[in-house]
């Protein structure tokens, strides 16, 4: 990727650039400065712009964004920012770069870009340098990546390397006024998100301000190109992916000591005003920088409905919250995290239109309470671990962080104060923790061997089709592929249709239907020859119930957003015949009051007979009209999004089968809710005929209870409670009596000794009703061994100190032996009298 010739551009030639090798790192670079011998990148070149800006004008972050967008808006379509949580893809947790907005649907050619070329400024979050924030003066966890991108198709070229470099150079030199000789272009290949390409890093006075990527490769294990150990092949599309660091460009023009003074001037002043009067803020500048950076990142994440938790993106949010809380404590600030994030919104609210003050305050309030609680209990955990191992390693630190929220510096302080011991904390501790919670790279599914034939989906033409005719395009042992079908294949949490196929005089059951690309495969109990004409019959009663549950899922999701808040996001779903479930993101268990509101609102919408519309909308128009809520149920890789809209209630992309009106749902009844993991609530509900079946089942159970309790319906709860209380009282009395009987049995045992153990030899058979109490009683008697006869040819040995094999060696002619519980309980069986064997024991 770095071979000479990749960037032999006409622009470089006519502008006086020449290609050289850096004498420090060996990287090739382009420059007009004939005396330059280094590439211009750090550490080959130092930051020489601090206090010595290369531009005549200084720009704030907001001004730099406006300058960039306006400069390119005349020739590029302006695209609004995407969320920082990439709902349109499932392989990454956060948007790390502007190109993430268009991977893989645009870069793979499934959908058109929102414009061509485009210009935008995309908020991004990267956690790889989280441990360096505040220390180096230049690292951030959140930033804006500005870009001007073009997408070059075989039949439509926009601009490639020549145009990209010319645009970039013109903006830096002509618009910002940076002297040409200060701008260097360093060659360095790029890869990310499954794509790669040659690239130029654009550097000014030691600072990288722009990256120009010429993306024309896609991951392929059999590809001919290799970048950073990964194989790639050529893409049909050539994508210009530029990344202009908004904050870095503003920093370059302002020349402040660190990037934080340029990005967060008002925020830093606010934080300084909250510090104790006797404290010099400059001494604690690192902590102030951390708070300014992390609180903006949290603002962006919380505005995109991220709920802090112990999994996925929620874990990253929680980590930032805890770092902020620890820093607030360390600095002794006269404010709290809720106020700080609110101040960030006041300063930068234009970037977060979805901000909900109530949601943010609630979430942070919950997190602060958990943090304080964990700190209180965590100190004891630190002490236990240290006393056991006399040290703490990085795994211990990660475990303490995950389970108690104890930051490494806090753990170090506890260990130093209590044990006078210093522990080493890796400088990249938080980066390590983030990597542990990042999604693993998914293996690509292997082809299943079915031919890539296209099946027309009749179930989209008319969901009421019960039977159809078709031609068998391909068949094999237990499967057929048809030219068209009304059988819905499994997908989107909706099970496949079932039914049967008639071929000639044979009736063959359909047991499963799956979709692979555009091929729909029917798995059958039998075989049908290719080119056969068949008739398919759907189990329509089953299909109808699944349609009701699917449409009801959309309804209840939309209603829960109304009742619980806009932060609610579908996290998983499964439709069944007898019930349906939906998992949603929510920070608290759903109350009975909330359930009543949800059911009442669902019934109201059902009674209004609202239309359920299905439409196929071009990808970008769908996002522009409906927003990213479209991707509640997954990400379609297609040029169009199949949009299902319940008028005024819910709209999302969906490939399932649906009703025409909400009135066909009939009723929605929530039957249970539970927390399945932190921040995720599961709601199980029934609708339509399934609701009636559920009601009838409950009524049947109630009649059984009425018969058992001999009471009226309305008296069943009180009568059952009385019966349970009586039963519990009787059970307690039984346990008391059994323990008294056991006391008498043990008191009547013969005392002996074996080695260092006292032995109790039971007299007579151990009554069956107290055998379950005998073992735990003896195990609780330190140093005691008990032998109790439980039958003519069986006895048990219980030892509270182990060593059973040695004791049993004294019993001759042992026939059968079971030892369990770490040599603490044994059962011995023999054909001879057990009592005779016990009498032969010789205790020493």
């Amino acid at each position: 990727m770095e071979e000479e010739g990749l960037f032999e551009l006409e622009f470089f030639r006519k502008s006086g650039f020449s290609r050289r090798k850096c004498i420090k790192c060996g990287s090739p670079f382009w420059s007009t400065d004939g005396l330059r011998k280094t590439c211009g990148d750090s550490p080959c070149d130092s930051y020489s712009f601090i206090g010595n800006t290369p531009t005549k004008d200084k720009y704030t972050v907001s001004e730099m964004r406006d300058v960039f967008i306006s400069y390119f808006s005349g020739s590029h379509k302006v695209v609004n920012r995407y969320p920082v949580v990439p709902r349109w893809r499932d392989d990454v947790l956060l948007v790390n770069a502007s190109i993430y907005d268009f991977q893989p649907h645009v870069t793979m050619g499934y959908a058109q870009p929102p414009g061509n070329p485009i210009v935008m400024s995309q908020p991004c979050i990267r956690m790889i340098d989280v441990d360096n924030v505040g220390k180096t003066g230049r690292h951030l966890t959140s930033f804006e990546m500005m870009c001007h991108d073009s997408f070059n198709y075989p039949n439509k070229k926009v601009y490639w390397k020549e145009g990209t470099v010319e645009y970039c150079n013109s903006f830096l030199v002509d618009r910002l006024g940076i002297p040409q000789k200060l701008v260097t272009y360093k060659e360095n290949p790029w890869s990310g998100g499954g794509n790669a390409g040659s690239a130029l890093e654009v550097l000014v006075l030691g600072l990288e301000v722009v990256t120009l990527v010429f993306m024309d490769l896609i991951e392929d294990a059999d590809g001919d190109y290799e970048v950073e150990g990964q194989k790639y092949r050529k893409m049909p599309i050539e994508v210009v992916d530029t990344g202009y660091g908004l904050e870095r460009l503003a920093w370059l023009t302002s020349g402040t000591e660190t990037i934080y003074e340029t990005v967060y001037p008002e925020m830093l002043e606010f934080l300084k005003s909250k510090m104790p009067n006797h404290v010099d803020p400059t001494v604690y500048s690192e902590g102030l920088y951390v708070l300014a950076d992390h609180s903006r990142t949290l603002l962006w994440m919380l505005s995109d409905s991220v709920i802090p938790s112990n999994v996925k993106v929620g874990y990253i949010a929680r980590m930032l919250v805890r770092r902020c809380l620890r820093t607030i404590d360390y600095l002794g600030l006269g404010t709290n995290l809720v106020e700080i994030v609110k101040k960030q919104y006041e300063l930068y609210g234009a970037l977060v239109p979805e901000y909900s003050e109530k949601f943010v305050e609630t979430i942070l309030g919950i997190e602060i309470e958990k943090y304080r609680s964990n700190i209180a209990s965590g100190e004891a955990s630190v002490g236990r671990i240290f006393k056991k191992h006399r040290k703490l390693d990085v795994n211990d630190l990660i475990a303490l962080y995950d389970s108690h929220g104890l930051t490494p510096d806090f753990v170090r302080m506890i260990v130093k104060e209590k044990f006078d011991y210093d522990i080493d904390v890796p400088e990249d501790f938080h980066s390590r923790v983030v990597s542990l919670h990042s999604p693993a790279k998914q293996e690509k599914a292997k082809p299943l061997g079915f031919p890539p034939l296209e099946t027309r989906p009749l179930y989209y033409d008319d969901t009421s089709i019960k039977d159809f005719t078709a031609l068998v395009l391909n068949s094999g042992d237990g499967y057929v592929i048809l030219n068209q079908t009304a059988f819905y294949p499994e997908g989107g949490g909706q099970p496949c249709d079932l039914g049967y196929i008639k071929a000639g005089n044979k009736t063959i059951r359909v047991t499963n239907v799956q979709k692979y690309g555009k091929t729909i495969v029917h798995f059958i109990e039998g075989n049908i020859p290719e080119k056969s004409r068949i008739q398919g019959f759907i189990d329509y009663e089953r299909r109808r119930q699944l349609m009701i549950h699917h449409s009801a899922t959309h309804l209840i999701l939309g209603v829960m957003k109304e009742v619980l808040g806009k932060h609610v996001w579908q996290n998983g779903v499964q439709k069944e015949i007898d019930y349906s479930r939906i998992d949603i993101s929510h920070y608290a268990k759903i109350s009975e009051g909330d359930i009543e509101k949800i059911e009442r609102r669902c019934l109201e919408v059902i009674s209004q007979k609202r239309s359920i519309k299905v439409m196929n909308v071009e990808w970008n128009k769908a996002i522009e009209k409906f927003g990213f809520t479209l991707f509640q149920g997954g990400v379609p890789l297609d040029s169009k999004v199949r949009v299902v809209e319940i008028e005024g209630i819910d709209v999302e992309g969906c490939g399932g089968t649906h009703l025409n009106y909400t009135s066909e749902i009939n009723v929605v009844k929530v039957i249970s809710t539970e927390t399945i993991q932190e921040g995720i609530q599961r709601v199980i509900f029934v609708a339509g005929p399934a609701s009636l079946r559920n009601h009838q089942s409950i009524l049947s159970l109630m009649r059984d209870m009425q018969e058992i309790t001999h009471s009226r319906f309305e008296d069943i709860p009180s009568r059952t409670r009385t019966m349970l209380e009586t039963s519990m009282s009787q059970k307690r009395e039984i346990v008391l009596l059994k323990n008294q009987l056991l006391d008498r049995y043990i008191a009547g045992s013969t005392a002996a000794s074996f080695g260092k153990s006292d032995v109790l030899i039971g007299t007579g058979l151990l009554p069956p009703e107290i055998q379950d109490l005998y073992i735990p009683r003896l195990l609780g008697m330190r140093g005691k061994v008990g032998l109790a006869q439980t039958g003519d040819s069986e006895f048990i040995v219980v030892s509270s100190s182990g060593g059973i094999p040695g004791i049993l060696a004294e019993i001759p002619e042992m026939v059968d032996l079971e030892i369990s519980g770490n040599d603490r309980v044994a059962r011995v069986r023999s054909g001879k009298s057990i009592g005779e064997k016990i009498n032969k024991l010789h205790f020493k």
Side-chain angles (χ1 to χ4, degrees):
M1 295 295 295
E2 294 184 4
E3 67 268 20
E4 192 167 353
L6 280 175
F7 292 103
E8 292 289 345
L9 306 179
E10 177 64 17
F11 172 78
F12 279 157
R13 187 194 64 78
K14 72 180 183 182
S15 301
F17 282 85
S18 60
R19 187 178 191 260
R20 296 159 229 171
K21 287 255 185 178
C22 178
I23 62 171
K24 292 187 178 181
C25 69
S27 298
F29 68 92
W30 297 81
S31 174
T32 60
D33 184 355
L35 300 178
R36 173 169 286 281
K37 296 182 180 180
T38 52
C39 62
D41 200 0
S42 175
C44 301
D45 285 74
S46 62
Y47 283 6
S48 53
F49 66 91
I50 295 175
N52 182 34
T53 64
T55 59
K56 185 173 55 177
D57 298 319
K58 295 184 179 182
Y59 297 92
T60 64
V61 168
S62 179
E63 290 168 344
M64 180 60 72
R65 184 191 306 113
D66 291 342
V67 166
F68 182 85
I69 296 296
S70 64
Y71 187 79
F72 287 97
S73 61
S75 54
H76 295 64
K77 179 180 178 179
V78 179
V79 176
N80 293 329
R81 61 153 287 189
Y82 280 36
V84 293
V85 180
R87 311 285 190 184
W88 57 93
R89 53 190 301 182
D90 55 13
D91 58 330
V92 292
L93 298 179
L94 293 162
V95 171
N96 286 181
S98 55
I99 195 61
Y100 275 40
D101 297 353
F102 311 116
Q103 289 174 309
H105 49 284
V106 174
T107 57
M108 287 292 291
Y110 297 118
Q112 291 292 312
N116 201 5
I118 62 166
V119 59
M120 70 184 303
S121 185
Q122 172 60 42
C124 302
I125 297 176
R126 284 185 192 169
M127 300 303 296
I128 190 171
D129 294 315
V130 62
D131 294 287
N132 289 322
V133 172
K135 295 179 182 178
T136 62
R138 62 188 176 90
H139 285 102
L140 303 167
T141 57
S142 56
F143 60 95
E144 288 183 63
M145 182 176 286
M146 304 183 297
C147 68
H148 59 90
D149 294 349
S150 70
F151 304 86
N152 299 282
Y153 298 87
N155 60 347
K156 183 184 179 182
K157 302 290 183 181
V158 183
Y159 60 80
W160 188 229
K161 294 179 181 179
E162 287 281 1
T164 303
V165 176
E166 191 164 358
Y167 269 126
C168 175
N169 202 76
S170 177
F171 176 71
L172 296 178
V173 176
D174 300 334
R175 180 61 185 85
L176 297 185
I178 300 172
Q180 182 68 79
K181 69 176 184 177
L182 299 182
V183 182
T184 59
Y185 294 83
K186 175 184 172 183
E187 297 181 18
N188 195 16
W190 174 94
S191 62
N195 297 112
S198 57
L200 291 170
E201 295 173 354
V202 188
L203 305 136
V204 180
L205 297 176
L207 182 66
E208 182 184 349
V209 291
V210 185
T211 302
L212 308 174
V213 177
F214 303 98
M215 184 191 298
D216 59 355
L217 301 175
I218 185 170
E219 278 189 27
D220 187 338
D222 300 321
D224 297 326
Y225 301 86
E226 184 173 322
V227 180
E228 296 181 355
Q230 178 66 49
K231 291 283 189 177
Y232 294 84
R233 61 175 167 80
K234 282 285 186 180
M235 293 164 49
I237 306 173
E238 293 178 338
V239 179
V240 169
D241 165 28
T242 68
Y244 290 70
L246 170 59
E247 288 82 0
R248 287 195 170 196
L249 282 167
W251 186 25
L252 182 72
T253 69
S254 66
T256 56
E257 186 175 348
T258 74
I259 197 170
Y260 311 110
E261 281 84 13
T262 295
V263 180
Y264 306 113
E266 301 95 341
M267 193 68 216
L268 289 173
E269 286 303 313
F270 170 78
L271 293 173
K272 289 175 184 177
S273 71
K274 300 297 180 179
M275 291 195 71
N277 293 331
H278 63 281
V279 175
D280 181 1
T282 59
V283 177
Y284 297 96
S285 58
E286 181 180 321
L288 297 174
Y289 297 155
V290 167
L291 270 180
D293 169 83
H294 287 10
S295 58
R296 183 177 74 165
T297 306
L298 280 171
L299 172 68
W300 289 359
M301 294 177 75
L302 297 176
S303 295
D304 279 350
S305 302
V306 174
I307 296 176
S309 69
N310 278 337
V311 294
K312 297 184 178 179
V313 69
Y315 184 88
I316 295 173
R318 172 163 289 169
M319 185 184 77
L320 292 173
V321 168
R322 288 173 174 175
R323 290 200 83 195
C324 285
L325 294 176
R326 177 65 183 141
T327 304
I328 290 170
D329 290 347
Y330 172 71
L331 296 176
L333 293 186
T335 184
N336 57 54
L337 186 55
V338 174
E339 276 190 25
I340 293 172
V341 173
K342 185 177 180 180
K343 183 66 177 180
Q344 287 281 22
Y345 176 66
E346 292 174 4
L347 295 171
Y348 311 108
L351 286 176
V352 284
E354 298 300 317
Y355 177 81
S356 166
E357 184 172 341
K358 179 182 177 182
F359 172 69
V360 171
E361 288 185 2
T362 301
I363 285 295
L364 291 181
I366 291 171
E367 284 301 298
I368 292 169
E369 185 177 341
K370 286 181 179 179
Y371 173 76
R372 300 299 178 205
S373 175
N374 286 347
I375 289 293
S377 63
E379 290 190 40
S381 297
V382 173
R384 283 194 301 270
I385 294 174
F386 186 82
K387 287 177 181 178
K388 184 176 181 180
H389 303 290
R390 301 308 300 176
K391 67 182 182 70
L392 288 173
D393 60 22
V394 67
N395 293 323
D396 294 322
L397 291 174
I398 290 174
L400 287 166
Y401 191 86
D402 274 352
S403 59
H404 297 286
L406 304 181
T407 56
D409 62 314
F410 185 74
V411 174
R412 178 192 280 149
M413 180 185 70
I414 293 173
V415 175
K416 183 65 176 175
E417 288 179 355
K418 290 190 173 184
F419 306 104
D420 193 26
Y421 183 90
D422 289 318
I423 60 174
D424 293 325
V425 179
E427 290 188 0
D428 62 344
F429 174 81
H430 290 93
S431 297
R432 292 192 193 190
V433 172
V434 169
S435 66
L436 290 175
H437 291 265
S438 298
K441 189 174 182 180
Q442 299 176 352
E443 293 292 331
K444 293 182 180 179
K446 296 180 179 179
L448 297 178
F450 298 114
L453 302 169
E454 185 169 348
T455 306
R456 181 186 172 195
L458 298 173
Y459 47 82
Y460 282 157
D461 296 341
D462 184 356
T463 56
S464 67
I465 294 177
K466 299 179 179 65
D467 59 83
F468 65 97
T469 58
L471 177 68
V472 178
L473 300 177
N474 181 266
S475 66
D477 187 18
Y479 81 88
V480 291
I481 299 173
L482 309 175
N483 69 323
Q484 59 181 15
T485 185
F487 282 92
Y488 178 80
E490 181 182 15
Q494 179 174 328
C496 66
D497 285 332
L498 300 178
Y500 60 92
I501 289 175
K502 282 190 174 181
N505 59 358
K506 293 192 298 183
T507 298
I508 300 173
R509 198 160 72 97
V510 176
T511 60
N512 193 4
V513 186
Q514 297 291 326
K515 188 176 184 181
Y516 307 101
K518 294 185 178 181
T519 305
I520 298 176
V521 180
H522 305 69
F523 295 91
I524 58 177
E525 291 183 342
N527 295 288
I528 304 175
E530 288 184 13
K531 299 183 180 179
S532 297
R533 292 239 171 229
I534 64 95
Q535 210 175 353
F537 296 87
I538 310 296
D539 179 348
Y540 194 73
E541 183 179 348
R542 182 177 184 278
R543 154 78 77 79
R544 180 74 179 176
Q545 179 62 72
L546 289 171
M547 288 169 59
I548 290 171
H549 271 158
H550 203 148
S551 294
T553 301
H554 286 224
L555 170 61
I556 199 170
L557 176 62
V559 167
M560 285 191 292
K561 282 180 173 287
E562 286 185 9
V563 174
L564 303 177
K566 291 183 179 180
H567 63 273
V568 167
W569 195 274
Q570 180 176 306
N571 205 270
V573 68
Q574 183 62 47
K575 298 92 179 176
E576 299 291 353
I577 300 300
D578 295 323
Y579 68 91
S580 191
R581 68 165 170 80
I582 181 171
D583 300 337
I584 62 165
S585 56
H586 187 52
Y587 48 81
K589 184 169 176 57
I590 301 172
S591 69
E592 287 297 322
D594 288 334
I595 292 172
E596 290 179 8
K597 291 178 184 177
I598 290 166
E599 291 175 338
R600 195 180 303 116
R601 178 61 172 147
C602 283
L603 186 60
E604 182 181 350
V605 175
I606 288 169
S607 65
Q608 291 169 347
K609 195 181 178 180
R610 298 201 187 194
S611 64
I612 303 175
K613 299 177 184 177
V614 179
M615 57 200 116
N616 291 298
V617 185
E618 190 271 330
W619 180 281
N620 295 296
K621 289 182 179 177
I623 293 175
E624 186 177 330
K625 183 175 182 180
F626 302 111
F628 293 94
T629 187
L630 284 172
F631 305 117
Q632 294 273 353
V635 184
L637 286 178
D638 207 329
S639 61
K640 293 185 176 181
V641 180
R642 187 173 185 267
V643 178
V644 176
E645 180 183 20
I646 298 180
E647 183 185 358
I649 296 295
D650 179 72
V651 58
E652 55 188 281
C654 180
T657 54
H658 286 276
L659 306 169
N660 295 314
Y661 296 97
T662 57
S663 56
E664 298 174 68
I665 296 172
N666 191 258
V667 68
V668 171
K669 181 72 184 79
V670 175
I671 57 178
S672 70
T673 64
E674 63 175 319
T675 303
I676 60 169
Q677 69 182 48
E678 198 172 18
I680 303 295
Q681 300 298 315
R682 173 164 290 175
V683 179
I684 297 178
F685 64 93
V686 288
S691 181
L692 177 61
R693 292 194 298 272
N694 179 261
H695 176 75
Q696 290 170 335
S697 175
I698 293 172
L699 195 60
S700 177
L701 289 172
M702 292 291 288
R703 289 195 181 102
D704 289 343
M705 288 294 296
Q706 186 181 21
E707 184 177 339
I708 292 168
T709 59
H710 303 290
S711 62
R712 297 176 301 174
F713 261 43
E714 58 268 30
D715 295 332
I716 288 176
S718 61
R719 177 62 177 155
T720 303
R721 188 177 298 109
T722 300
M723 293 174 69
L724 286 172
E725 289 173 353
T726 302
S727 175
M728 292 299 294
S729 176
Q730 291 172 344
K731 285 181 178 179
R732 287 192 293 269
E733 187 174 351
I734 289 170
V735 170
L736 179 63
L737 293 171
K738 287 170 71 174
N739 273 295
Q740 290 174 355
L741 183 59
L742 179 59
D743 290 340
R744 287 199 292 270
Y745 180 82
I746 293 175
S749 300
T750 301
S753 63
F754 179 81
K756 296 181 179 179
S757 300
D758 294 327
V759 181
L760 298 174
I761 302 174
T763 303
L765 291 176
L766 179 67
E769 59 269 23
I770 62 173
Q771 287 181 15
D772 60 328
L773 299 177
Y774 184 71
I775 292 174
R777 176 74 70 86
L778 265 294
L779 288 175
M781 299 170 68
R782 184 178 299 275
K784 296 288 186 181
V785 177
L787 291 89
Q789 189 171 350
T790 59
D792 287 342
S793 59
E794 180 177 295
F795 73 95
I796 61 172
V797 183
V798 183
S799 170
S800 62
S801 57
I804 283 178
I807 298 172
L808 296 179
E810 299 293 320
I811 305 178
E813 302 175 4
M814 186 170 59
V815 175
D816 192 13
L817 167 68
E818 289 181 10
I819 298 179
S820 62
N822 194 24
D823 293 347
R824 293 183 181 276
V825 180
R827 293 183 182 273
V828 179
R829 289 182 290 276
S830 173
K832 293 189 177 183
S833 168
I834 263 327
E836 180 183 339
K837 288 184 178 290
I838 292 175
N839 290 332
K840 291 180 181 179
L841 286 172
H842 298 286
F843 296 101
K844 301 168 186 176

